[in-house]
Amino acid sequence: VIGVVIGKTDVRGFPDRKNIGSERYTFSFTIRDSPTYFINVNSWGREDYIRTLSESFRVGDCVTIENPLVQSKEAEREEKFNPVTPSCYKLLLSENHSVVKTSSCYEMDTKLLSLLHLPVKDPQDYYSLGDIIANGQSLDGRILNVLAAVMSVS
């Protein structure tokens, strides 16, 4: 799978239930290969493997993923912690079987670079700040998508 990284989480450690007293590490990222399709990628493993993998690329890089495990995603659980994707699958990276290679999007395909700036939500599924202010009471308790741009940072 070849795509541009459009999102990435920090590395986190969790107690390993199989090996009491040790930890397993994880991080995830989302890659996109067309305006319509993007998928979440999860990786679990030893700390040095996960940290090295996480530091090997950043958002905006193009990656080639070789030999991932394709799994059905558990929509309700998965989408609490990862972006909602149009696919009913996720990719799982294994330290022993999977490889992630990074390269410049210019070397691969400049069309991939343009995918970095496309919203991942349906353009009809956003509220403007004006709509939220005007209809605040009726929207109370609902989860809303807001599309905004940063004008300045100071």
Side-chain angles (χ1 to χ4, degrees), residues 12 14 17 24 26 40 42 44 71-84 90 92:
R12 296 179 313 237
F14 295 94
R17 286 182 247 160
R24 290 182 68 206
T26 185
N40 292 320
N42 297 317
W44 286 86
Q71 291 184 323
S72 296
K73 70 180 178 184
E74 300 166 43
E76 194 171 299
R77 198 176 125 232
E78 301 283 337
E79 293 174 351
K80 278 184 182 176
F81 306 106
N82 293 305
V84 177
K90 64 180 178 180
L92 184 63

Side-chain angles (χ1 to χ4, degrees), residues 11-101:
V11 172
R12 296 179 313 237
F14 295 94
D16 189 340
R17 286 182 247 160
K18 293 179 185 173
N19 298 315
I20 305 303
S22 63
E23 282 191 301
R24 290 182 68 206
Y25 286 78
T26 185
F27 85 103
S28 60
F29 59 100
T30 305
I31 62 168
R32 186 176 216 163
D33 67 355
S34 74
T36 311
Y37 295 103
F38 47 98
I39 193 165
N40 292 320
V41 183
N42 297 317
S43 185
W44 286 86
R46 295 176 302 111
E47 181 178 14
D48 57 334
Y49 165 71
I50 295 298
R51 289 200 186 281
T52 301
L53 181 59
S54 176
E55 292 167 2
S56 70
F57 62 88
R58 60 181 193 218
V59 171
D61 286 346
C62 289
V63 294
T64 301
I65 301 172
E66 297 176 0
N67 208 24
L69 178 63
V70 178
Q71 291 184 323
S72 296
K73 70 180 178 184
E74 300 166 43
E76 194 171 299
R77 198 176 125 232
E78 301 283 337
E79 293 174 351
K80 278 184 182 176
F81 306 106
N82 293 305
V84 177
T85 63
S87 173
C88 55
Y89 300 101
K90 64 180 178 180
L91 302 179
L92 184 63
L93 300 181
S94 158
E95 182 173 0
N96 297 325
H97 303 289
S98 307
V99 176
V100 178
K101 297 177 182 173

Side-chain angles (χ1 to χ4, degrees), residues 89-130:
Y89 300 101
K90 64 180 178 180
L91 302 179
L92 184 63
L93 300 181
S94 158
E95 182 173 0
N96 297 325
H97 303 289
S98 307
V99 176
V100 178
K101 297 177 182 173
T102 308
S103 61
S104 163
C105 288
Y106 293 109
E107 292 171 19
M108 298 185 89
D109 187 350
T110 53
K111 286 182 273 184
L112 286 175
L113 202 54
S114 67
L115 301 175
L116 190 58
H117 304 291
L118 291 178
V120 293
K121 292 280 191 176
D122 178 349
Q124 312 309 324
D125 191 25
Y126 292 107
Y127 282 84
S128 70
L129 294 177

